[in-house]
Amino acid sequence: KMVDEFSSFARLPKPIFRSEDAVDLVRQALFLQEVAHPQIDYTFAAEADAPAIECDRHQFGQAMTNVLKNAAEAIEARRRDAPLDYRGRICVEVGYDPQHLTVSVADNGVGLPQGSERILEPYVTTREKGTGLGLAIVKKIVEEHGGDLSFSPADEGGTRVQLKFARDPAETIQGSEAAE
């Protein structure tokens, strides 16, 4: 597993941007996690008429899957010490502005670990069986899509991850290179 993830990280291909329905891509990734984790309550909300974005369909899906899997693992970790009535929840929201599409994933799991500023570095993990590459891959994908990734505590003690994707990454990346 670690070799496979390292290969994915080391050889992450250049994204091939096409116009995609990002809301549909988020729903697809969410559906797969709902099937895999029926003991977790999932909610989804999207702003009406979210526009298409230029993205690499496979890489966008990979980023969403990694973040959703982390949220489910955080819930499982909390469940070990939680009262019997504890029920895991993952809330996914999609919003947009003229330049970006934002996906927010909030869970009520164990929350951010001590030293959480390092969780985006390759090989840094807080999980027994983790490789420390999942979030490094997400960060790389989001950056190559002209966006950024942030973490904050969620309302119920878990974590909120915000993935911000440029609606037109080629334009955003060219603009930031011109500013340098």
Side-chain angles (χ1 to χ4, degrees):
K1 179 181 172 188
M2 183 178 249
V3 170
D4 287 344
E5 284 199 30
F6 177 73
S7 294
S8 293
F9 180 68
R11 290 184 287 128
L12 195 63
K14 276 288 205 204
I16 299 170
F17 298 116
R18 294 193 175 98
S19 182
E20 299 283 354
D21 180 343
V23 172
D24 188 49
L25 295 177
V26 171
R27 284 184 202 261
Q28 289 174 29
L30 187 59
F31 174 75
L32 294 175
Q33 294 306 307
E34 284 177 301
V35 171
H37 303 283
Q39 73 284 8
I40 296 174
D41 295 329
Y42 289 85
T43 60
F44 177 81
E47 285 187 37
D49 302 323
I53 68 168
E54 295 292 315
C55 72
D56 182 301
R57 174 184 198 88
H58 176 72
Q59 289 184 13
F60 186 99
Q62 180 70 56
M64 290 308 310
T65 297
N66 287 8
V67 169
L68 290 166
K69 282 174 67 175
N70 275 9
E73 288 172 5
I75 287 169
E76 292 304 320
R78 183 173 178 185
R79 180 171 287 138
R80 287 184 219 124
D81 301 320
L84 290 176
D85 65 345
Y86 170 74
R87 182 93 178 148
R89 280 188 292 289
I90 297 176
C91 303
V92 179
E93 297 175 353
V94 180
Y96 64 92
D97 63 36
Q99 283 81 34
H100 298 93
L101 179 111
T102 303
V103 182
S104 173
V105 178
D107 66 65
N108 66 340
V110 292
L112 292 167
Q114 291 288 348
S116 61
E117 62 279 351
R118 295 192 60 224
I119 60 177
L120 294 174
E121 294 176 18
Y123 310 112
V124 173
T125 184
T126 59
R127 313 237 193 284
E128 278 180 39
K129 297 180 181 176
T131 61
L133 289 171
L135 289 176
I137 290 169
V138 173
K139 180 179 185 237
K140 187 171 183 175
I141 290 170
V142 170
E143 286 175 349
E144 289 193 351
H145 282 74
D148 59 47
L149 180 64
S150 62
F151 299 84
S152 59
D155 298 337
E156 296 182 57
T159 303
R160 177 180 308 280
V161 181
Q162 187 167 320
L163 301 96
K164 190 182 249 186
F165 296 91
R167 286 181 41 197
D168 185 351
E171 183 179 292
T172 301
I173 292 168
Q174 285 173 351
S176 66
E177 287 172 356
E180 290 177 3

